[in-house]
Amino acid sequence: MNNEQLDSQLSAMFDDELPEPECELLARRLARDEGLKARWGRYAVIAACIRMERGGEAAPAAAAARASGSQIQASNGEVRSAGGEARLQRMRLNGGVATRVSRMIAAEPPLLAGAGAGRNGRGLARPAMRRWWQPVAGGAAVAAGVAAAAILWLRAGSPDAPIVAHTTVLASTASSAAPSLMRPSGVVQIAARSANVPRAVQSRSASPSTPDSFVVPPLAPPPSFAPPVELANFVVVHSEYSMPLLRRSALSALVAAEPMTDDAAENPPASERSVSGTGDAGNAANAPHADYAQ
Amino acid sequence: MRRMPITRSSDRLTWLALLLAAAAVGTAAAAAEAVPANASPSGAMPAPHGAASGGTDSTKPDAPQKLLDRMNEALTSLNYDGVFSHAQNGEIETLRIIHRVAGGKVMERLVSLDGSGREFIRTGSELACYLPDERRVLVEQQPQKSLLLGNLPRFDANTRRFYEIQMGQRTRLIGRRAQLVLVTARDQYRYGYRLWIDAATGMPLKTQLCDGRGRVIEQVVFASLETPRAIPDSAFKPDISTAGFEWMRQVPMPGNARAPFAAWYALRLPPGFHMSVRTEQVIPGAGGPVEHIVYTDGIASVSVFVESHMHPDHALSGGTQLGSSSAYATIVDGHPVTAVGEVPPVTVRFIASSVKARPPAH
């Protein structure tokens, strides 16, 4: 498969238009291919930006933009840590979409906790956007998820979530949003220290003015399917009490297998899975080409 | 990029060593209980001669059970390094497992060889997950458990009421002599197993998990297996370079956060199950300390998790399956209840649905 095909697959995945089996293949490949991984980082940015641009009216779009902007900030942090400043620089030069992204990164003030969250329902009601944010719908619980949890990651998650994007959101939220979303009785705190998110993470009391903090808009209805995060934690804890053979089996399943729901009613309706608008693929597919043209 | 210092609690390790020792003693004791006076000398490989035809060895009815005990002991106490395929749901994944017990400290590494490249590395009570695709390492401290004996299922008379345990054929697998042990469930509340156990080491070279109709729902087959006397520390380092990775670790809950619990219990249990452990866990994502009750039938076990209160993020509901594990979640008197175990879906549903709070004793 050449780069172009990969790119279009990647973009299709971000727009949730890639059939599930192909997503899986791509995800596997992504795990191995450094170049593809780097592109993926930028895709997260670009895809968010494109969605935002298509967001329509100013108000919801702006709210979404701020949220996305923060998301992008986190994503970029990853890119930077992964590939250094040069890569980011390249992205800045990339005109159009990427320029806008960079501008947002530079200019966007941090979101206030909860601000605009529930109110911009309109922007988020669009399936693509909702999908984009869905992993964090569970709020702190999901964000604070752990090892075990994160393991389910790629193929699990909401059945209709874009596979890789899912982990991005989950991960970036885990480090910065968790403290502010945490309930007072919050039990678990993930402490992460990295160049990317130092302040937000070192203290639970990360104030709203902390540049790195952001809040993900909560979703009105909680998803009806079992979030794999909590379940994975249960499975891991349980495995400690299992016969050794079965313990290994459980952990292998976490590494290897996709959880399946045997009750069809628990899956979101099929209509939720299909993506509205075929324009997404076109836009997204073009963007990375431009990115790589240089 | 700074990293959180990864500290290891020597207390935990000591405790773990104790646990291991106790477990070994426990299984030995369990085996001893079940062994009649005329049984073969302890320590010897329960020689399966006479069982080669595939039938039950009537002269040594406990031989297969002793083999199972030996297998459990091998899995927890031996050093081993093997590559196996894990097949389930039509998907096959190749994994490598390295396990070492040295100086009372358990090291274990489970790597996906052809998937995401993710790894689990267990160091004592600490579990680290390397996620190369996310450039992250997540470190989880297993919460301290207050059990010594009883975390390993034991085969006893009860077990045999619900499973038929037979010797199968002797065969060869990856150049080793192996003895097949058939564990057949007598009802629909548990799975059956076919275990090809290495005569030399007691390690399961091949295992199949079977549903009530004998269909294989999960298979693990070793392609290679070594049991080295020593395994170097370097074997427990991740394959991938973690330079530039972000390290995240779970901060344990302060010790004073213990909440008073109603004693929860399952009003009814599927036949053969009994409670083996009751403890309290801190589980990420749950809204507070979680009461954890383990029920076992001697082979399979089911954990029931009762959360202290509803929390807005709770979204587990209904049944699901993850690998060979089934889970069923429901809400009882405003408390999220989740049952998880390597049993058919009907069993976790049965147990979760019958969980009740014991009225406070006065």
Side-chain angles (χ1 to χ4, degrees):
Chain A
M1 197 182 294
N2 61 29
N3 274 352
E4 207 167 290
Q5 285 170 308
L6 276 174
D7 272 332
S8 72
Q9 275 206 326
L10 206 53
S11 66
M13 183 159 82
F14 267 108
D15 283 310
D16 210 18
E17 290 184 343
L18 196 63
E20 209 166 80
E22 283 182 64
C23 276
E24 188 161 321
L25 279 177
L26 189 61
R28 283 172 189 247
R29 177 154 186 168
L30 196 56
R32 292 188 210 137
D33 186 332
E34 286 299 325
L36 196 57
K37 242 185 280 187
R39 257 175 287 171
W40 160 56
R42 271 163 292 169
Y43 253 108
V45 175
I46 292 162
C49 191
I50 286 169
R51 292 211 170 91
M52 196 178 58
E53 275 184 322
R54 290 182 300 120
E57 283 172 33
R66 296 168 72 198
S68 304
S70 310
Q71 158 67 25
I72 284 157
Q73 197 162 4
S75 300
N76 264 323
E78 284 193 332
V79 171
R80 194 181 308 148
S81 70
E85 195 62 29
R87 197 172 290 163
L88 195 65
Q89 201 64 38
R90 240 187 306 156
M91 207 157 67
R92 284 208 184 100
L93 296 173
N94 196 30
V97 169
T99 305
R100 177 164 178 178
V101 172
S102 310
R103 220 176 24 232
M104 279 187 337
I105 292 165
E108 195 56 43
L111 251 195
L112 207 110
R119 293 195 290 273
N120 58 349
R122 194 156 164 206
L124 287 173
R126 293 166 51 244
M129 191 59 94
R130 190 161 52 197
R131 215 169 275 116
W132 184 256
W133 291 112
Q134 196 150 37
V136 244
V142 177
V146 190
I151 295 172
L152 280 190
W153 68 109
L154 268 186
R155 280 170 271 169
S158 64
D160 56 349
I163 296 183
V164 175
H166 179 124
T167 49
T168 315
V169 176
L170 179 68
S172 52
T173 320
S175 45
S176 48
S180 51
L181 283 177
M182 204 64 101
R183 289 174 303 283
S185 63
V187 175
V188 176
Q189 180 185 0
I190 292 222
R193 294 194 183 172
S194 74
N196 307 340
V197 282
R199 270 161 301 189
V201 171
Q202 277 169 16
S203 156
R204 280 189 67 134
S205 58
S207 81
S209 62
T210 306
D212 285 312
S213 77
F214 68 96
V215 167
V216 174
L219 259 181
S224 60
F225 54 85
V229 174
E230 197 173 1
L231 182 60
N233 286 327
F234 285 146
V235 168
V236 168
V237 171
H238 169 73
S239 74
E240 298 292 318
Y241 295 83
S242 297
M243 194 161 72
L245 179 78
L246 299 174
R247 179 183 314 156
R248 187 193 63 199
S249 182
L251 294 182
S252 296
L254 282 178
V255 170
E258 180 176 10
M260 64 180 189
T261 307
D262 57 352
D263 184 354
E266 286 170 22
N267 286 321
S271 61
E272 284 276 279
R273 301 187 185 203
S274 65
V275 179
S276 63
T278 50
D280 296 18
N283 285 340
N286 289 337
H289 293 174
D291 188 26
Y292 262 83
Q294 30 188 330
Chain B
M1 176 105 19
R2 278 173 299 163
R3 294 178 181 183
M4 281 291 277
I6 304 294
T7 57
R8 300 199 169 94
S9 154
S10 56
D11 288 352
R12 293 264 165 81
L13 293 175
T14 312
W15 166 85
L16 204 89
L18 272 176
L19 172 62
L20 267 176
V25 169
T27 45
E33 280 168 24
V35 172
N38 63 350
S40 58
S42 67
M45 168 78 185
H49 49 70
S53 62
T56 305
D57 186 345
S58 56
T59 62
K60 290 187 167 60
D62 296 303
Q65 261 176 251
K66 287 190 71 180
L67 259 182
L68 295 184
D69 284 330
R70 186 160 177 251
M71 176 190 76
N72 276 342
E73 206 181 321
L75 279 167
T76 45
S77 62
L78 283 186
N79 291 348
Y80 49 87
D81 181 349
V83 172
F84 64 94
S85 72
H86 176 267
Q88 188 165 40
N89 277 338
E91 284 205 33
I92 299 181
E93 185 110 359
T94 309
L95 299 103
R96 179 178 180 192
I97 188 164
I98 310 174
H99 182 270
R100 181 181 81 179
V101 182
K105 183 167 159 184
V106 178
M107 303 278 281
E108 189 171 57
R109 177 164 167 234
L110 186 66
V111 193
S112 166
L113 295 182
D114 56 6
S116 57
R118 293 179 182 226
E119 304 193 13
F120 273 108
I121 299 180
R122 182 195 305 274
T123 310
S125 59
E126 192 174 85
L127 187 64
C129 302
Y130 291 82
L131 314 172
D133 42 344
E134 287 187 57
R135 304 185 65 78
R136 276 190 169 76
V137 182
L138 298 146
V139 181
E140 184 170 2
Q141 199 73 38
Q142 292 295 319
Q144 184 138 15
K145 298 172 192 97
S146 57
L147 65 152
L148 280 176
L149 289 170
N151 82 321
L152 283 182
R154 296 194 207 169
F155 310 113
D156 51 22
N158 183 52
T159 310
R160 289 220 263 163
R161 285 177 56 209
F162 300 97
Y163 294 93
E164 188 181 5
I165 305 180
Q166 299 169 286
M167 284 295 200
Q169 293 180 330
R170 277 196 293 183
T171 180
R172 285 182 76 81
L173 284 174
I174 52 170
R176 293 161 176 265
R177 278 199 305 131
Q179 169 68 52
L180 173 60
V181 175
L182 300 159
V183 181
T184 313
R186 296 189 197 267
D187 61 26
Q188 78 276 24
Y189 291 112
R190 48 218 111 219
Y191 289 133
Y193 308 86
R194 296 188 196 120
L195 309 154
W196 283 260
I197 298 174
D198 183 21
T201 62
M203 286 288 290
L205 300 174
K206 175 175 171 179
T207 58
Q208 291 178 336
L209 183 68
C210 310
D211 69 7
R213 282 180 257 175
R215 288 177 306 194
V216 176
I217 54 180
E218 183 196 56
Q219 175 168 286
V220 170
V221 185
F222 275 90
S224 69
L225 180 66
E226 290 169 28
T227 51
R229 195 174 298 274
I231 298 177
D233 287 344
S234 59
F236 298 95
K237 303 248 187 308
D239 278 339
I240 41 147
S241 158
T242 55
F245 275 34
E246 185 175 340
W247 288 62
M248 305 176 81
R249 68 176 301 157
Q250 174 196 346
V251 176
M253 184 175 70
N256 59 0
R258 189 181 178 87
F261 263 114
W264 293 84
Y265 71 110
L267 195 60
R268 294 181 306 130
L269 288 169
F273 281 87
H274 59 273
M275 193 186 87
S276 63
V277 178
R278 176 188 292 274
T279 179
E280 197 174 283
Q281 305 281 354
V282 177
I283 293 176
V290 175
E291 182 159 348
H292 179 200
I293 312 153
V294 183
Y295 297 100
T296 179
D297 68 357
I299 290 184
S301 52
V302 174
S303 282
V304 173
F305 299 96
V306 183
E307 296 174 52
S308 53
H309 57 272
M310 281 299 288
H311 48 96
D313 308 319
H314 181 81
L316 287 175
S317 166
T320 189
Q321 282 179 277
L322 178 71
S324 53
S325 300
S326 298
Y328 190 86
T330 183
I331 290 165
V332 179
D333 299 339
H335 296 262
V337 170
T338 309
V340 176
E342 318 83 17
V343 291
V346 60
T347 312
V348 281
R349 182 174 195 147
F350 186 115
I351 294 177
S353 305
S354 70
V355 167
K356 293 280 176 288
R358 207 185 294 276
H362 286 297

